[in-house]
Amino acid sequence: MAKDRLTEVLERYEAVIGLEIHTELTSLNSKMFCGCPVAFGGEPNTRVCPVCLGLPGALPVPNEAAVEATVLAGLSVECAIAPYSQFHRKQYFYPDMPKDYQISQYDLPFCGFGHVDIEVDGDGVAERIDLDAAVSANLLERDSDGYVTRIGVTRIHLEEDTGKMVHVGGSEGRISGADHSLVDFNRAGTPLMELVSEPDIRTPEEARRFAQKLRSIFLALGISDCSMEEGSMRVDGNVSVRPRGQVELGTKSEIKNMNSFKTLHDALAYEIVRQADEIDAGGRIVQETRHYDVGAKRTSALRSKEEAHDYRYFPEPDMVPFEFTPEWIEGIRARLPELPDARRDRFVRDFGLPKGDARTLAADASFADFFEEAVALTGPSLAKPLVNWALGDFSAYLNAEGISLGESRVTSAMLAELVELIGDGTISGKQGKVVFVEMTTSGDAPGAIVALRGMKQVSDSDAIEAAVDRVMAASPAEVANYRAGKTTLIGWFVGQVMREMKGQGNPGLVNEVLARKLDA
Amino acid sequence: MTVSSLSDFSQLSARAIRDGIVSGEFSAAEIASAAYSRIDALEPDIHAFNELTPQLAEEAAARIDAKVAAGELLPPLAGVPAAFKDNMNLVGTHTTCSSRILKNYQSVYDCSAVRRLLDAGALPIGKCNMDEFAFGSSTENSAFGPTRNPWDLDRVPGGSSGGSAAAVAAGMVTVSLGSDTGGSIRQPGALTGTVAMKPTYGRVSRYGIVAFASSLDQIGPFTRSVEDAAMVLNAIAGHDDMDATSVREAVPDFTVGLGDGVKGLRVGVVRDMVDLEGCAPEVRAATESALATLATLGAEVGEIDLPMSQHGLAAYYIIGPAEASSNLARFDGIRYGYRAPDAADVLDLYMRSRAEGFGAESIRRIMLGTHALSSGYYDAYYGTAQKTRTLITREFAAAFERFDVLITPTAPTVAFKIGEKAEDPLSMYLSDVYTIPLNLAGLPGISVPCAKSATTGLPIGVQIIGNHFDESTMLRVASALEAALALDMTPPLTGI
């Protein structure tokens, strides 16, 4: 998707986007209505029991921790918590659904009327064509970096996940052309929290930021691992376009299979352009569900909503309604941790971090915890170099190895020690990079590596002066050239002195001594 | 064992059996074998059972006899032969719901109420025939053939728990469990001359009973005496972590106070129900007579009308099928149960498995319920029915401010002939007109025999309705009536 094609379309059409975000509550010990463990993958049909298999006579018993997690999520996005709520049955036949109904919530969800403020900066700002017209009451702030806009949260409710189908004999595991299908119920009954946004989103970039913001909040709450790749966070988008200035909404399509933040952006961008092209060509938009093909970078119709099921929702008679008292709700509110925005602001305030770095850090709660553990050891004066390491080499290492923080060989204490060794001049920044690589492979502490390798930086000015003198004595021609005005040779001299000192010279001091002697 | 004591096995109460085992008069194994002897003799004519479980019974009896040998204290229902409606799961048995769609389904876990009864020492004798998925009032809607009434083999035992009722009435077992969604325990109780109780909704766990209508279903006992009913309720009542609708209400000993009499108790006869047009004169007369007896015993008898409850039948035939249509969705041929062969695709598999697996009444209820919940009809049907239900509940609440128990007939007629109503679902539905309002309101009710028809000799039952979680008062009235009437409710078993 060429960016200018999207912006060209957005100049003429306004996109109206709402997201439905399903988040598996992966941090819980048990499924939504039974005691089976919650986990990803595993031997098929090993984490099942009569309840999550929907065997005759089995009954669901709600997982209180899942209800609490959902209410916590609601409070984190400023939702009102319903004093009276209940589960409903959503009925349709599908082989991955053991009871042929899904226990979900209908007109009485746990949470509603919330909002999330998102910041858009960088390239994505350009998608918001109407920024100067200030037509949206949701635009809260704007400055030279970008803008802040408010996205309404319609509701958050709780339901159970389905099993997984494996279609055998078709292409890419899809059902068309398959010879037969297998069902794995390990996932069936996993607590699934669904957040529905208001159609307040106007650009694919805002959609991405909104989803990222929710991920950062849910990570801070510790209720899910929010992995789009493993499907523990799944985002569907409802998109329509209308000519700028038109009040009436266009016909929407629902986009599925957007399993990364980039895909979310690209799929919505594709769909907006597709709908605009369709209208430009005199066609009309059909209300339908469309599947995004990541490889082909396009959406295609899945099934028409016009043949949509009548879900025949009715109150789940196997459970009694929930009546939350204000005291109970306040008890949950007291469990709210520091949320990403507040943490970001604190990082800026307490450590003087650039806002962008602070936001990136705060977006991943465990990463931010890692940083805070390290900065507690180094003190705030080294916060900036620490962030640079954390977001730079350290993040690159985690990504390259495809591992999580918990699996990292480099601990927060080790990173703090490394930054301190550089900060106090024991080693140079360049040496630090070498030490870091060794830390990631050996798991040894940086101090031990420096000692073992004799990498200690030489800051003894006598030794540096002696080395400079030796280099100058051995290179009379270069000295003459330098003094004749070719001062760019300074770099060559630094290199020679560092080689003379086996790379352990303090680069600052080496520069300083060289400049003094050469300019003498 | 003394032959004389076991020759009248069919008349022994649960307490007498336990006492006999404790005293060494007979063993649990002998009781089990006496039960199976009687079943061997009667079952071919009555067809109360879908499955017999002699091995499970022998093992349970052996455990009891081992306790006796070891001098250990015996549980309260030690050695009592028990049968279970075939919608209750028990490992080692099939749980078919008398349906072709579950014909070969084997239980992989135990129904909580069944487990509690067995933990109390009862012997699992077998699984009882029923109307398919409990849809019916005659046990004719069984895929495996009807159960016959021990009082007259040409007549139905009522339903849907007809097998459980017939097994107790015929003395094949001492106690049995049924399930009651609109009267499926109490109505067959009345038609077979047994004591039949539906406890308060939430009193007994529903875990493991194949659901018909989740907000109405409740498990309860069939016995030949009120005391036995209280003993069974003692065993099965109480909160269960596996059922979110089972309550944490304290469970009293229901046998306490059974003999306290009814002096001073406020007994209300539901006048407009007794006077209902479809109520047979002999049933009306029997109800009046039972009331007179209670008055003689010192009860303060008064009258009340419950006009909202007249709409119970209509509300029930929306709510019940609505929930049933949902509960029965899982029988789709995918994971277990009957699967139609050679389906073209998954939709074809669903449609044919269900069309071939379910009987006519099940299909009728699924269609009724699906329609009632459909978009555009929900408010008019389900919404209105739920409002009616609320009004009925309030009406009963007001009635219980004036009375301790309420009295109605249990069923409008005595047992009818097999085939008499099979082709007329509406007239069949009317069998439950007195029992249904209790399910809608969640109230406990018990049917006790109060007379035998002067013309047919068939049993007539009276329904005693208690307030929520006040089964004790209800049982006390039932016990007083039972003692005062002292009816011989042994079926003649002619023709066997």
Side-chain angles (χ1 to χ4, degrees), chain A residues 50-51 53-62 89 91 93-95 97-101 185 310 312-315 317-320, chain B residues 89 105 108-109 206-210 214 241-245 323 326-327 329-330 332 335-336 346 350 354 370 373-375 378 382:
Chain A
V51 176
L53 282 177
L55 293 187
L59 295 174
V61 176
R89 292 186 184 175
Q91 312 193 70
F93 282 81
Y94 207 71
M97 209 162 51
K99 302 182 292 292
D100 288 307
Y101 59 80
F185 291 108
D310 177 357
R312 288 176 286 116
Y313 279 101
F314 80 106
D318 283 328
M319 278 173 269
V320 291
Chain B
N89 280 281
Y105 179 77
V108 297
Y109 71 99
R206 293 182 294 113
Y207 187 71
I209 182 170
V210 181
S214 312
D241 286 339
M242 300 303 284
D243 176 2
T245 62
E323 293 184 12
S326 177
N327 286 329
R330 67 188 66 187
D332 59 8
R335 294 164 308 281
Y336 49 76
V346 71
Y350 285 151
R354 289 168 67 80
T370 303
L373 292 176
S374 295
S375 173
Y378 180 95
Y382 191 79

Coordinates of all heavy atoms in Angstrom, one line a residue, chain A residues 50-51 53-62 89 91 93-95 97-101 185 310 312-315 317-320, chain B residues 89 105 108-109 206-210 214 241-245 323 326-327 329-330 332 335-336 346 350 354 370 373-375 378 382:
Chain A
P50 N -15.3 -32.5 31.3 CA -16.7 -32.5 30.8 C -17.3 -31.1 30.6 O -18.1 -30.9 29.7 CB -17.4 -33.2 32.0 CG -16.3 -34.1 32.6 CD -15.1 -33.3 32.5
V51 N -16.8 -30.1 31.4 CA -17.4 -28.8 31.2 C -17.0 -28.1 29.9 O -17.8 -27.7 29.1 CB -17.1 -27.9 32.4 CG1 -17.6 -26.5 32.2 CG2 -17.6 -28.5 33.7
L53 N -15.7 -29.5 27.4 CA -16.1 -30.3 26.2 C -17.6 -30.2 26.0 O -18.1 -30.8 25.0 CB -15.7 -31.7 26.4 CG -14.2 -32.0 26.2 CD1 -13.9 -33.5 26.5 CD2 -13.8 -31.7 24.8
G54 N -18.4 -29.6 26.9 CA -19.8 -29.5 26.7 C -20.5 -30.9 26.8 O -21.4 -31.1 26.1
L55 N -20.0 -31.8 27.6 CA -20.6 -33.1 27.7 C -22.0 -33.0 28.3 O -22.2 -32.0 29.1 CB -19.7 -34.0 28.6 CG -18.3 -34.4 28.0 CD1 -17.6 -35.5 28.8 CD2 -18.5 -34.9 26.5
P56 N -22.9 -33.9 28.0 CA -24.2 -33.8 28.6 C -24.2 -33.7 30.1 O -23.5 -34.5 30.8 CB -24.8 -35.2 28.1 CG -24.0 -35.7 27.0 CD -22.6 -35.1 27.2
G57 N -24.9 -32.7 30.6 CA -25.1 -32.6 32.0 C -24.0 -31.7 32.7 O -24.2 -31.3 33.9
A58 N -23.0 -31.4 32.0 CA -21.9 -30.5 32.6 C -22.4 -29.1 32.7 O -23.2 -28.6 31.9 CB -20.6 -30.6 31.8
L59 N -22.0 -28.4 33.7 CA -22.5 -27.0 34.0 C -21.3 -26.0 34.1 O -20.3 -26.4 34.7 CB -23.3 -27.0 35.3 CG -24.6 -27.7 35.3 CD1 -25.2 -27.7 36.7 CD2 -25.6 -27.2 34.3
P60 N -21.5 -24.8 33.6 CA -20.4 -23.8 33.7 C -20.5 -23.1 35.1 O -21.6 -22.8 35.6 CB -20.8 -22.8 32.6 CG -22.3 -22.9 32.6 CD -22.7 -24.3 32.9
V61 N -19.3 -22.9 35.7 CA -19.3 -22.1 36.9 C -18.3 -21.0 36.6 O -17.1 -21.2 36.3 CB -18.8 -23.0 38.1 CG1 -18.6 -22.1 39.4 CG2 -19.7 -24.1 38.4
P62 N -18.7 -19.7 36.8 CA -17.9 -18.6 36.3 C -16.6 -18.5 37.2 O -16.6 -18.7 38.4 CB -18.8 -17.4 36.5 CG -19.8 -17.8 37.4 CD -20.0 -19.3 37.3
R89 N -26.4 -16.5 26.3 CA -26.0 -17.6 25.3 C -26.1 -17.0 23.9 O -27.2 -16.5 23.6 CB -26.8 -18.8 25.5 CG -26.6 -19.6 26.8 CD -27.3 -20.9 26.7 NE -27.2 -21.6 28.0 CZ -27.9 -22.7 28.3 NH1 -28.7 -23.3 27.4 NH2 -27.7 -23.3 29.5
Q91 N -26.1 -18.3 20.2 CA -26.3 -19.6 19.6 C -26.1 -19.7 18.1 O -26.6 -18.9 17.4 CB -27.7 -20.0 19.9 CG -28.1 -19.8 21.4 CD -29.4 -20.5 21.8 OE1 -29.5 -21.7 21.9 NE2 -30.4 -19.7 22.0
F93 N -24.4 -23.0 15.3 CA -23.7 -24.3 15.2 C -22.3 -24.2 14.6 O -22.2 -23.6 13.5 CB -24.6 -25.3 14.4 CG -25.7 -25.8 15.2 CD1 -26.9 -25.1 15.3 CD2 -25.6 -27.1 15.8 CE1 -28.0 -25.6 16.1 CE2 -26.7 -27.6 16.5 CZ -27.9 -26.9 16.6
Y94 N -21.3 -24.7 15.2 CA -20.0 -24.8 14.6 C -19.2 -25.8 15.4 O -19.3 -25.9 16.6 CB -19.3 -23.4 14.6 CG -18.3 -23.3 13.5 CD1 -18.7 -23.2 12.2 CD2 -16.9 -23.5 13.7 CE1 -17.9 -23.2 11.1 CE2 -16.0 -23.4 12.7 CZ -16.5 -23.3 11.4 OH -15.6 -23.3 10.3
P95 N -18.5 -26.7 14.6 CA -17.9 -27.8 15.3 C -16.8 -27.5 16.3 O -16.5 -28.3 17.2 CB -17.2 -28.6 14.1 CG -18.0 -28.2 12.9 CD -18.4 -26.8 13.2
M97 N -17.3 -25.4 18.6 CA -18.0 -24.9 19.8 C -18.7 -26.0 20.5 O -19.7 -26.5 20.0 CB -18.9 -23.8 19.4 CG -19.1 -22.8 20.5 SD -19.8 -21.3 19.9 CE -21.2 -21.9 18.9
P98 N -18.2 -26.5 21.6 CA -18.7 -27.8 22.2 C -20.2 -27.8 22.5 O -20.9 -28.8 22.3 CB -17.9 -27.9 23.5 CG -16.7 -27.1 23.3 CD -17.1 -25.9 22.4
K99 N -20.8 -26.7 22.9 CA -22.2 -26.7 23.3 C -23.0 -26.2 22.1 O -24.3 -26.1 22.3 CB -22.4 -25.8 24.5 CG -21.5 -26.2 25.7 CD -21.8 -25.4 27.0 CE -21.3 -24.0 26.8 NZ -19.8 -23.8 26.8
D100 N -22.4 -25.8 21.0 CA -23.2 -25.1 19.9 C -23.9 -23.8 20.4 O -24.8 -23.4 19.8 CB -24.1 -26.1 19.2 CG -23.3 -27.1 18.4 OD1 -22.5 -26.6 17.6 OD2 -23.5 -28.3 18.6
Y101 N -23.4 -23.3 21.5 CA -23.7 -21.9 21.9 C -22.4 -21.4 22.6 O -21.7 -22.3 23.2 CB -24.9 -21.7 22.7 CG -25.0 -22.5 24.0 CD1 -24.3 -22.0 25.2 CD2 -25.7 -23.6 24.2 CE1 -24.4 -22.7 26.4 CE2 -25.8 -24.3 25.4 CZ -25.2 -23.8 26.5 OH -25.2 -24.5 27.7
F185 N -9.9 -29.0 21.4 CA -10.6 -28.2 22.4 C -9.8 -27.6 23.5 O -10.3 -27.1 24.5 CB -11.8 -29.0 22.9 CG -12.9 -29.3 21.9 CD1 -13.0 -30.6 21.4 CD2 -13.7 -28.3 21.5 CE1 -14.0 -30.8 20.4 CE2 -14.7 -28.5 20.6 CZ -14.8 -29.8 20.0
D310 N -29.1 -15.6 13.1 CA -29.9 -15.1 14.2 C -29.3 -15.8 15.5 O -29.5 -17.0 15.6 CB -31.4 -15.4 14.0 CG -32.2 -14.9 15.2 OD1 -31.7 -14.4 16.2 OD2 -33.4 -15.0 15.1
R312 N -30.0 -15.6 18.5 CA -31.0 -16.0 19.6 C -30.4 -15.9 21.0 O -30.5 -16.8 21.8 CB -31.5 -17.4 19.3 CG -32.5 -17.5 18.1 CD -32.9 -18.9 17.8 NE -31.8 -19.7 17.1 CZ -31.3 -20.7 17.7 NH1 -31.7 -21.2 18.8 NH2 -30.3 -21.4 17.1
Y313 N -29.9 -14.7 21.2 CA -29.3 -14.5 22.6 C -30.4 -14.7 23.6 O -31.6 -14.2 23.4 CB -28.8 -13.1 22.7 CG -27.5 -12.8 22.1 CD1 -27.3 -12.2 20.9 CD2 -26.3 -13.1 22.9 CE1 -26.0 -11.9 20.4 CE2 -25.1 -12.8 22.4 CZ -24.9 -12.2 21.1 OH -23.7 -12.0 20.6
F314 N -30.1 -15.3 24.7 CA -31.0 -15.3 25.9 C -30.2 -15.5 27.1 O -29.1 -16.0 27.1 CB -32.2 -16.3 25.7 CG -31.8 -17.7 26.1 CD1 -32.3 -18.3 27.3 CD2 -31.1 -18.5 25.2 CE1 -32.0 -19.6 27.6 CE2 -30.8 -19.8 25.5 CZ -31.2 -20.3 26.7
P315 N -30.7 -15.0 28.3 CA -30.0 -15.0 29.5 C -29.5 -16.4 29.9 O -30.3 -17.4 29.8 CB -30.9 -14.5 30.6 CG -32.0 -13.7 29.8 CD -32.1 -14.4 28.5
P317 N -29.2 -19.5 31.7 CA -29.9 -19.9 32.9 C -29.0 -20.7 33.9 O -29.5 -21.0 35.0 CB -31.0 -20.7 32.4 CG -30.5 -21.2 31.1 CD -29.5 -20.2 30.5
D318 N -27.8 -21.1 33.5 CA -27.0 -21.9 34.4 C -26.2 -21.1 35.4 O -25.5 -21.6 36.2 CB -26.0 -22.8 33.6 CG -26.7 -24.0 33.0 OD1 -27.6 -24.5 33.6 OD2 -26.3 -24.4 31.9
M319 N -26.4 -19.7 35.2 CA -25.6 -18.9 36.2 C -26.6 -17.8 36.7 O -27.5 -17.3 35.9 CB -24.4 -18.2 35.5 CG -23.2 -19.2 35.5 SD -21.9 -18.5 34.5 CE -22.3 -19.1 32.9
V320 N -26.3 -17.3 37.9 CA -27.1 -16.2 38.4 C -26.5 -14.9 37.9 O -25.3 -14.8 37.7 CB -27.3 -16.3 39.9 CG1 -28.1 -17.4 40.3 CG2 -25.9 -16.3 40.6
Chain B
N89 N -25.9 -38.8 34.9 CA -24.6 -39.5 34.5 C -24.1 -40.4 35.7 O -24.2 -39.9 36.9 CB -23.5 -38.5 34.2 CG -23.7 -38.0 32.8 OD1 -23.2 -38.6 31.8 ND2 -24.3 -36.8 32.6
Y105 N -24.2 -43.6 24.3 CA -23.4 -42.6 25.1 C -23.1 -43.2 26.5 O -23.9 -43.6 27.2 CB -24.1 -41.3 25.2 CG -23.2 -40.3 26.0 CD1 -22.1 -39.7 25.4 CD2 -23.5 -40.1 27.4 CE1 -21.3 -38.8 26.1 CE2 -22.6 -39.2 28.1 CZ -21.6 -38.6 27.5 OH -20.8 -37.8 28.2
V108 N -18.9 -40.3 31.5 CA -17.4 -40.3 31.9 C -17.3 -39.6 33.2 O -16.2 -39.4 33.7 CB -16.6 -39.6 30.8 CG1 -16.6 -40.3 29.5 CG2 -17.1 -38.1 30.6
Y109 N -18.4 -39.1 33.8 CA -18.3 -38.6 35.1 C -19.6 -38.8 35.8 O -20.6 -39.2 35.2 CB -18.0 -37.1 35.1 CG -19.1 -36.2 34.5 CD1 -19.9 -35.5 35.4 CD2 -19.4 -36.2 33.2 CE1 -21.0 -34.8 34.9 CE2 -20.4 -35.4 32.7 CZ -21.2 -34.7 33.5 OH -22.3 -34.0 33.1
R206 N -27.6 -29.6 40.1 CA -28.0 -30.2 38.8 C -26.8 -30.7 38.0 O -27.0 -31.2 36.9 CB -28.7 -29.1 38.0 CG -30.0 -28.6 38.5 CD -30.7 -27.5 37.6 NE -29.9 -26.3 37.6 CZ -29.2 -25.9 36.5 NH1 -29.3 -26.5 35.4 NH2 -28.5 -24.8 36.5
Y207 N -25.6 -30.6 38.6 CA -24.5 -31.1 37.8 C -24.6 -32.6 37.5 O -24.8 -33.4 38.4 CB -23.2 -30.8 38.7 CG -21.9 -31.1 37.9 CD1 -21.5 -30.3 36.8 CD2 -21.2 -32.3 38.1 CE1 -20.4 -30.5 36.1 CE2 -20.0 -32.5 37.3 CZ -19.7 -31.7 36.3 OH -18.6 -31.9 35.6
G208 N -24.5 -32.8 36.2 CA -24.5 -34.2 35.8 C -25.8 -34.7 35.3 O -25.9 -35.8 34.8
I209 N -26.9 -33.9 35.5 CA -28.2 -34.3 34.9 C -28.3 -33.6 33.5 O -28.0 -32.4 33.4 CB -29.3 -33.9 35.8 CG1 -30.7 -34.4 35.2 CG2 -29.4 -32.4 36.1 CD1 -31.8 -34.3 36.1
V210 N -28.6 -34.4 32.5 CA -28.6 -33.8 31.2 C -29.8 -32.8 31.1 O -30.9 -33.1 31.4 CB -28.9 -34.9 30.1 CG1 -28.9 -34.3 28.7 CG2 -27.8 -35.9 30.2
S214 N -32.7 -25.4 32.1 CA -31.8 -25.2 33.3 C -32.4 -24.4 34.4 O -32.1 -24.6 35.6 CB -30.5 -24.4 32.8 OG -30.0 -25.1 31.6
D241 N -20.0 -27.1 44.3 CA -19.2 -26.1 43.6 C -19.3 -26.3 42.1 O -19.0 -25.3 41.3 CB -17.7 -26.4 43.9 CG -17.4 -25.9 45.3 OD1 -18.1 -25.0 45.8 OD2 -16.4 -26.3 45.9
M242 N -19.9 -27.4 41.6 CA -20.0 -27.6 40.2 C -21.3 -27.0 39.6 O -21.5 -27.1 38.4 CB -19.9 -29.1 39.9 CG -18.6 -29.8 40.3 SD -17.2 -29.0 39.6 CE -17.3 -29.7 37.9
D243 N -22.1 -26.5 40.4 CA -23.4 -25.9 39.9 C -23.6 -24.5 40.5 O -23.8 -24.4 41.7 CB -24.6 -26.8 40.3 CG -25.9 -26.2 39.9 OD1 -26.0 -25.1 39.3 OD2 -27.0 -26.9 40.2
A244 N -23.4 -23.5 39.6 CA -23.5 -22.1 40.1 C -24.8 -21.7 40.6 O -25.0 -20.7 41.2 CB -23.0 -21.2 38.9
T245 N -25.9 -22.5 40.3 CA -27.2 -22.2 40.7 C -27.6 -23.0 42.0 O -28.7 -22.8 42.5 CB -28.3 -22.4 39.7 OG1 -28.3 -23.8 39.3 CG2 -28.0 -21.6 38.4
E323 N -35.2 -22.9 26.6 CA -34.0 -23.3 27.2 C -33.6 -24.7 26.6 O -32.4 -25.0 26.4 CB -34.1 -23.4 28.7 CG -34.3 -22.0 29.3 CD -34.3 -22.0 30.8 OE1 -34.0 -23.1 31.4 OE2 -34.7 -21.0 31.4
S326 N -31.8 -24.7 23.3 CA -30.4 -24.3 23.5 C -29.6 -25.5 24.1 O -28.5 -25.8 23.6 CB -30.3 -23.1 24.4 OG -29.0 -22.7 24.7
N327 N -30.1 -26.1 25.1 CA -29.4 -27.2 25.8 C -29.2 -28.4 24.9 O -28.3 -29.1 25.1 CB -30.2 -27.6 27.1 CG -30.1 -26.6 28.2 OD1 -29.0 -25.9 28.3 ND2 -31.1 -26.5 29.0
A329 N -28.7 -28.2 21.7 CA -27.9 -27.9 20.5 C -26.7 -28.8 20.4 O -26.2 -29.2 19.3 CB -27.6 -26.4 20.5
R330 N -26.1 -29.1 21.6 CA -24.8 -29.9 21.6 C -24.9 -31.3 21.0 O -23.9 -31.9 20.7 CB -24.3 -29.9 23.0 CG -25.1 -30.7 24.0 CD -24.6 -30.6 25.4 NE -24.8 -29.3 25.9 CZ -24.4 -28.8 27.1 NH1 -23.7 -29.6 27.9 NH2 -24.6 -27.6 27.5
D332 N -25.1 -32.9 18.2 CA -25.0 -32.5 16.8 C -24.2 -33.5 16.0 O -24.0 -33.3 14.8 CB -24.3 -31.1 16.7 CG -22.9 -31.1 17.4 OD1 -22.4 -32.2 17.8 OD2 -22.3 -30.1 17.5
R335 N -19.2 -34.7 18.3 CA -18.3 -35.3 19.4 C -18.7 -36.6 20.0 O -17.9 -37.4 20.4 CB -18.1 -34.2 20.5 CG -17.4 -33.0 20.0 CD -17.5 -31.9 21.0 NE -18.9 -31.7 21.4 CZ -19.8 -31.0 20.6 NH1 -19.4 -30.5 19.5 NH2 -21.1 -30.9 20.9
Y336 N -20.0 -36.8 20.1 CA -20.5 -38.0 20.7 C -21.9 -38.2 20.2 O -22.5 -37.3 19.6 CB -20.5 -38.0 22.2 CG -21.0 -36.7 22.8 CD1 -22.4 -36.5 22.9 CD2 -20.2 -35.7 23.2 CE1 -22.9 -35.3 23.3 CE2 -20.7 -34.5 23.7 CZ -22.1 -34.3 23.8 OH -22.6 -33.2 24.2
V346 N -20.7 -30.5 6.7 CA -21.0 -30.4 8.1 C -22.5 -30.0 8.4 O -23.1 -30.5 9.3 CB -20.0 -29.4 8.8 CG1 -20.3 -28.0 8.5 CG2 -20.1 -29.6 10.4
Y350 N -25.1 -32.2 10.6 CA -26.0 -31.6 11.7 C -27.4 -32.0 11.5 O -28.1 -32.5 12.3 CB -25.9 -30.1 11.7 CG -24.6 -29.5 12.3 CD1 -24.2 -28.3 11.8 CD2 -23.9 -30.1 13.3 CE1 -23.0 -27.7 12.3 CE2 -22.7 -29.5 13.8 CZ -22.3 -28.3 13.3 OH -21.2 -27.7 13.8
R354 N -29.5 -34.9 13.7 CA -30.5 -34.4 14.6 C -31.9 -34.9 14.2 O -32.7 -35.3 15.0 CB -30.4 -32.9 14.7 CG -29.2 -32.5 15.5 CD -28.9 -31.0 15.4 NE -29.9 -30.1 16.1 CZ -29.9 -29.9 17.4 NH1 -29.1 -30.5 18.2 NH2 -30.9 -29.1 17.9
T370 N -36.8 -22.6 19.5 CA -36.0 -21.8 18.6 C -36.9 -20.7 18.1 O -36.4 -19.5 18.0 CB -35.6 -22.7 17.4 OG1 -34.9 -23.8 17.9 CG2 -34.7 -22.0 16.4
L373 N -37.3 -17.8 20.6 CA -36.1 -17.0 20.9 C -35.6 -16.2 19.6 O -34.7 -15.4 19.7 CB -34.9 -17.8 21.3 CG -35.0 -18.5 22.7 CD1 -33.9 -19.4 23.0 CD2 -35.1 -17.4 23.8
S374 N -36.4 -16.4 18.5 CA -35.9 -15.8 17.3 C -36.1 -14.3 17.3 O -37.0 -13.7 17.9 CB -36.7 -16.3 16.1 OG -36.5 -17.7 16.0
S375 N -35.2 -13.7 16.5 CA -35.2 -12.2 16.4 C -36.5 -11.8 15.9 O -37.1 -12.3 14.9 CB -34.1 -11.8 15.4 OG -34.2 -10.5 15.1
Y378 N -38.7 -12.6 20.1 CA -38.2 -12.8 21.5 C -39.0 -12.1 22.5 O -39.5 -12.7 23.5 CB -36.7 -12.3 21.5 CG -36.1 -12.5 22.9 CD1 -35.3 -13.6 23.2 CD2 -36.2 -11.5 23.8 CE1 -34.7 -13.7 24.4 CE2 -35.6 -11.6 25.1 CZ -34.8 -12.7 25.4 OH -34.2 -12.8 26.6
Y382 N -40.6 -15.0 24.6 CA -39.8 -15.2 25.8 C -39.9 -14.1 26.8 O -40.0 -14.3 28.0 CB -38.3 -15.4 25.3 CG -37.4 -15.9 26.4 CD1 -37.4 -17.3 26.8 CD2 -36.6 -15.0 27.1 CE1 -36.6 -17.7 27.8 CE2 -35.7 -15.5 28.1 CZ -35.8 -16.9 28.4 OH -34.9 -17.3 29.4

